[in-house]
Amino acid sequence: ALCLTTQILRELRGSGLCVANYQVLRLAERSYKDACVLGDCCTPLLVTSGDPASVKLHRGFDRVLCDVRCSNDGGIRTRPATKTTSAKDFQTLHLQKLRNALHHLGSNGRLVYATTSLDPVENEEVVAAVLADGGFKLVEVPWARRFAPGIGQGMEACVRILPTAAAEELGGAFFAVFAHDQASPQAPADSPEEMPGTSCGEAVKALFGLGGSLRELGRLTTSFCGDDGLAEGTSGLTIVGLGLPLFREVMPGSWQVCNEGAAHLASLATKRVLEQSKEDFRELLLQRSMAAAIADGPAVVRCKGSDWALAAEVEAGNLEILTAACEAERYLELLNRELGLDSTQAEAAPLQDAYTISAPGAAEAEALSDSK
């Protein structure tokens, strides 16, 4: 399920709003970290962790994916070591999760209920129970006609992906698409308007000449462009990450530019952005520092003719990049290719990464705590 969030973000292409809720906090944290690699695509992302059977967000959505943990018996062919459990153990949980997911479906939206199981107990029986509640109907998926239909009367619109020669690379899976039944008296009104988020990060906005609003999550200021108020006041829900990290507070009142958001920040900022030719940018990656005639503090170095940018810090006229060594090596490899240079000329000395999004050290945490 970790790759689903990044696939959805790529389809959104920086627009709309994607909310990804994981029941397991560890998976939510990993998903947010992976998504940040996408850069601008991460801007409309809100990652939360909470029980999908009970969490309520304050709005309806155009598209909802209810990808439930199941017995996983459909994965045995492609992953023989897959552990399976009884479908009966999951049916009640599936019903709770699906009903709650449908609560978040906008009036003209579509919801996909998906499992990696072939057992009707987890699939058609769950779908039938929800349809019996009223207010929803199944939607046929034309491109899925090459797969098997659901089992039982009224389940023809469901889709069963069987592990056959026609789908040799796939395991077994099931999905069904729901929509509101507009003829039903339970059909909802239009989704509520988004609530305005709160503006924060005024100090760094002024420093970099940024317009618009930024959002703050703990020690991070992000470029989140959606409505972070939709999850406020929801018990049992943890906000793991929102938007693309732009700045982190390293000490009270002291900020650094985040590696993940350097390129996006460079496209927004009107101050403290230094542009370098590809040759000079490559040299900076190798040396990791250069002279800079700007005031002390965080900065961004952008490569002309590309969307590459480096997080940096200026002190006493010397600029030092904070970009991780592995990321610097990736830039060097790309630059060497463009400039027609031998890749061996771009090897940088092994360094300790200057920046990572991780929990603060004891001293840092104490300083931050004292500042609150």
Side-chain angles (χ1 to χ4, degrees):
L2 292 176
C3 66
L4 293 176
T5 299
T6 55
Q7 290 177 25
I8 291 169
L9 284 172
R10 287 193 174 101
E11 291 298 318
L12 285 175
R13 298 177 183 175
S15 64
L17 170 64
C18 176
V19 179
N21 180 67
Y22 292 83
Q23 185 165 358
V24 180
L25 179 60
R26 173 179 53 83
L27 297 181
E29 292 171 339
R30 191 196 307 172
S31 177
Y32 180 60
K33 183 176 180 181
D34 291 346
C36 286
V37 176
L38 293 176
D40 290 6
C41 292
C42 185
T43 298
L45 174 66
L46 169 63
V47 178
T48 63
S49 179
D51 184 356
S54 59
V55 162
K56 296 288 191 299
L57 299 175
H58 309 314
R59 65 164 290 172
F61 293 87
D62 298 325
R63 298 291 184 268
V64 178
L65 172 63
C66 183
D67 181 29
V68 297
R69 182 191 172 200
C70 61
S71 64
N72 206 23
D73 58 26
I76 294 176
R77 174 177 177 175
T78 55
R79 299 184 300 277
T82 297
K83 294 182 179 179
T84 62
T85 50
S86 170
K88 276 292 184 184
D89 294 341
F90 286 105
Q91 189 184 66
T92 300
L93 287 174
H94 291 351
L95 278 167
Q96 293 172 349
K97 292 174 183 178
L98 179 53
R99 283 170 174 147
N100 191 45
L102 286 166
H103 170 81
H104 295 89
L105 187 62
S107 56
N108 296 310
R110 296 287 185 270
L111 178 145
V112 175
Y113 170 71
T115 75
T116 53
S117 170
L118 293 174
D119 196 322
V121 170
E122 296 181 90
N123 299 328
E124 287 87 352
E125 288 186 18
V126 171
V127 171
V130 169
L131 292 176
D133 294 341
F136 296 96
K137 63 182 180 180
L138 291 177
V139 178
E140 188 176 355
V141 183
W143 62 262
R145 289 173 182 164
R146 61 193 178 107
F147 299 117
I151 298 173
Q153 186 176 2
M155 297 291 113
E156 295 82 4
C158 297
V159 179
R160 288 179 150 265
I161 301 176
L162 305 177
T164 63
E168 189 173 352
E169 75 284 3
L170 302 174
F174 171 93
F175 71 87
V177 181
F178 288 85
H180 286 284
D181 186 351
Q182 301 299 336
S184 169
Q186 300 183 40
D190 289 337
S191 301
E193 294 292 326
E194 291 185 0
M195 298 180 289
T198 56
S199 176
C200 63
E202 296 301 326
V204 291
K205 280 178 59 180
L207 185 63
F208 280 83
L210 298 169
S213 64
L214 302 177
R215 306 306 204 277
E216 194 168 44
L217 179 68
R219 299 180 301 123
L220 290 175
T221 298
T222 72
S223 63
F224 185 64
C225 70
D227 167 30
D228 50 340
L230 64 89
E232 291 179 353
T234 303
S235 61
L237 186 69
T238 300
I239 297 179
V240 175
L242 51 84
L244 183 66
L246 296 182
F247 304 96
R248 70 186 286 261
E249 188 177 21
V250 290
M251 293 292 285
S254 177
W255 298 82
Q256 282 184 347
V257 176
C258 296
N259 289 317
E260 298 91 333
H264 188 62
L265 177 61
S267 70
L268 300 175
T270 58
K271 301 177 182 177
R272 303 191 66 79
V273 178
L274 289 77
E275 287 201 343
Q276 297 282 298
S277 67
K278 291 182 178 178
E279 291 80 4
D280 290 340
F281 193 80
R282 176 181 177 276
E283 186 65 20
L284 177 59
L285 287 168
L286 289 170
Q287 302 300 326
R288 299 194 65 85
S289 65
M290 70 177 192
I294 61 173
D296 290 359
V300 177
V301 183
R302 178 167 54 197
C303 180
K304 290 182 180 178
S306 75
D307 58 357
W308 304 333
L310 306 174
E313 187 76 19
V314 179
E315 184 176 357
N318 183 66
L319 179 147
E320 182 177 347
I321 62 172
L322 305 177
T323 302
C326 59
E327 188 69 6
E329 290 173 4
R330 185 177 71 86
Y331 281 142
L332 281 168
E333 184 178 345
L334 294 171
L335 279 169
N336 286 339
R337 203 174 301 158
E338 287 200 16
L339 298 173
L341 299 174
D342 186 343
S343 60
T344 59
Q345 299 176 22
E347 291 183 359
L351 336 142
Q352 182 176 355
D353 289 346
Y355 166 76
T356 181
I357 293 186
S358 60
E364 182 182 352
E366 183 179 352
L368 286 169
S369 176
D370 292 341
S371 71
K372 301 302 181 185

